[in-house]
Amino acid sequence: MADAPVTTKPAVLILLGPPGAGKGTQARMLQEDFGLVQLSTGDLLRAAVAQGTPAGLAAKAVMEAGGLVSDDIVLAILRDRMAEPDVSHGIILDGFPRTDGQASALDALLDETGQSVTAAISMEVDDGAMVDRVAGRYTCAKCGEGYHDSFKVPAKAGVCDKCGSTEFKRRPDDNAETVRARLEAYHDQTAPLIAYYEGQGVLKRVDAMGEIADVRAELAGIVKDVAG
Ligand code: AMP
């Protein structure tokens, strides 16, 4: 009898962690290292706000206050994005799911194509350090490279190391007061998902307090292990 054809399903990785844990930074690196596609609901929502779509208009005030946008809006945006062809390379979900309802909806969506979550990686950090991490961060307006007032400044002041642009931007919700609300939303509604994925046997934990390069190496090890 002929061997069954080997079919590898695209990896579905989730990065879980509070604001400031480094989800976006590390998702971008996993995209570079493994060709996975970063899928950030925060980025998708910010784009919707910038474009003034109905979803963006509904989400704007909630985002500015550091609350969670309704599951309906987030799921509609995510479904649209997951219908695009590039997700067949495998995805890293950054900032999604954030509630029980989103986690079950993701399972149902993946089930439609015979997929499931490959790994949910909890990026573990000390809460106390997160306000300073988030309140000082900014990105290159052109290429998106991340910087920080204290921890990572460009080699030449005011010039992006990666693309040479001199324009930078800060997120309006990266201020101390909003970060506290976002941390609260994380603990109330998102942290319980750690137990949810532990129950599914797909949870991995990473110490995300270390240097960016060390966290990157640890994550790469996990990805090679589960999806290599
Ligand atoms: P982030 O870029 O992941 O920090 O998200 C920025 C903001 O967008 C959050 O503080 C929420 O207001 C909103 N947001 C992003 N992703 C979600 C999600 N999965 N569910 C609800 N709100 C979200």
Side-chain angles (χ1 to χ4, degrees):
M1 204 171 77
D3 287 342
V6 179
T7 51
T8 43
K9 287 186 189 152
V12 178
L13 304 175
I14 295 171
L15 294 185
L16 284 171
K23 300 184 297 296
T25 302
Q26 295 295 341
R28 278 162 57 86
M29 290 176 171
L30 289 174
Q31 181 163 277
E32 275 174 25
D33 293 350
F34 293 94
L36 299 164
V37 173
Q38 175 190 10
L39 233 155
S40 153
T41 43
D43 285 349
L44 294 170
L45 286 165
R46 278 183 287 279
V49 171
Q51 286 158 18
T53 65
L57 291 174
K60 188 169 187 279
V62 181
M63 292 172 75
E64 279 169 1
L68 292 187
V69 175
S70 76
D71 285 358
D72 286 354
I73 291 180
V74 174
L75 287 166
I77 281 187
L78 185 88
R79 262 193 214 102
D80 284 353
R81 181 64 185 87
M82 285 192 50
E84 288 176 31
D86 61 338
V87 302
S88 65
H89 299 299
I91 54 175
I92 315 152
L93 290 163
D94 151 17
F96 180 93
R98 263 175 154 104
T99 64
D100 278 350
Q102 292 178 14
S104 331
L106 175 66
D107 285 345
L109 186 67
L110 293 172
D111 198 43
E112 286 170 17
T113 50
Q115 289 175 269
S116 59
V117 172
T118 313
I121 304 170
S122 169
M123 301 185 61
E124 316 231 312
V125 287
D126 300 337
D127 246 36
M130 291 306 103
V131 177
D132 285 344
R133 263 204 198 184
V134 176
R137 69 187 184 181
Y138 58 98
T139 52
C140 169
K142 193 166 169 213
C143 73
E145 182 70 359
Y147 295 96
H148 191 281
D149 293 327
S150 315
F151 311 131
K152 187 191 167 199
V153 292
K156 185 169 174 221
V159 181
C160 176
D161 295 342
K162 212 163 183 184
C163 76
S165 167
T166 52
E167 283 187 34
F168 297 87
K169 60 182 182 183
R170 284 178 197 265
R171 283 171 43 176
D173 59 345
D174 279 352
N175 58 74
E177 193 188 335
T178 312
V179 178
R180 286 195 190 94
R182 288 160 61 198
L183 278 169
E184 203 176 307
Y186 175 77
H187 287 293
D188 286 353
Q189 300 192 66
T190 309
L193 298 183
I194 294 173
Y196 178 81
Y197 289 114
E198 194 157 35
Q200 289 193 359
V202 293
L203 184 75
K204 306 278 175 190
R205 293 177 194 268
V206 161
D207 173 3
M209 285 306 289
E211 296 291 324
I212 291 175
D214 295 339
V215 179
R216 178 183 198 165
E218 204 178 330
L219 284 171
I222 292 176
V223 175
K224 280 189 198 131
D225 204 31
V226 299

